[in-house]
Amino acid sequence: MRPLFLMISVCISMVLYSVSSSLQNVNNPENTSPVTNDTIKIKVGSQVFTATLLDHYPAKAFKEMLPLTIAMTELNGNEKYSDLPKNLPTNMERPKTIKNGDLMLYGSQTLVLFYKAIPTSYSYTRLGTINNTTGLTTALGSENISVTFEAE
């Protein structure tokens, strides 16, 4: 009876450790990393930018929505935003500083594309980042604009 109890205890411990490690990777933004070849195209007018998505469920859920063309609204001279057709899972963090080219989710439904670096106290879910931001600010301009997101 005792060896069976010991074996069951070890199995339960292994399962709990595995679940704990998985949850830690999902909830800890430092444990997310870009996925090799998990890129998307972002089309703004005639310009095309490539972004690398993070390796977590929110970014994968976003990619499953593509292709997607949305009207993005200008805000604060540093970002464009738009509500997505449906809610996405979140992995919120307070980044303190947002970089040019960051693609983030505000709440569970608002997609935000930043084109200028800024300090922030808001919480976002990081989805990915544009690989080369040269010309991004000019392409997005200072007005509301239509942007197309496509899987590569």
Side-chain angles (χ1 to χ4, degrees):
M1 182 73 173
R2 187 154 171 84
L4 180 60
F5 176 75
L6 182 59
M7 188 169 35
I8 291 172
S9 295
V10 168
C11 288
I12 290 172
S13 295
M14 289 172 55
V15 168
L16 290 175
Y17 176 78
S18 176
V19 169
S20 173
S21 295
S22 295
L23 289 175
Q24 194 173 28
N25 285 337
V26 167
N27 293 322
N28 186 349
E30 292 176 6
N31 289 334
T32 59
S33 60
V35 179
T36 305
N37 296 327
D38 199 7
T39 57
I40 62 170
K41 289 181 184 177
I42 301 174
K43 294 181 179 180
V44 183
S46 62
Q47 291 205 267
V48 178
F49 300 90
T50 303
T52 301
L53 297 178
L54 294 175
D55 184 15
H56 62 34
Y57 192 60
K60 290 176 184 175
F62 173 67
K63 189 172 182 181
E64 288 174 6
M65 295 177 71
L66 307 182
L68 181 67
T69 299
I70 52 177
M72 299 195 82
T73 303
E74 168 63 30
L75 184 63
N76 300 325
N78 60 32
E79 66 188 78
K80 304 287 188 198
Y81 74 92
S82 182
D83 284 342
L84 295 171
K86 67 178 187 177
N87 290 337
L88 293 178
T90 62
N91 186 6
M92 304 293 278
E93 65 172 287
R94 286 200 169 131
K96 295 183 184 172
T97 302
I98 292 175
K99 298 179 187 93
N100 179 16
D102 278 349
L103 184 63
M104 299 202 185
L105 189 62
Y106 179 75
S108 62
Q109 195 173 9
T110 304
L111 182 68
V112 185
L113 176 57
F114 290 92
Y115 59 89
K116 288 187 183 174
I118 59 163
T120 186
S121 61
Y122 292 104
S123 293
Y124 296 92
T125 297
R126 289 184 184 275
L127 297 177
T129 188
I130 293 179
N131 300 326
N132 181 350
T133 59
T134 303
L136 179 64
T137 301
T138 302
L140 291 173
S142 60
E143 303 295 324
N144 299 344
I145 192 165
S146 179
V147 179
T148 299
F149 299 84
E150 295 178 349
E152 237 186 8

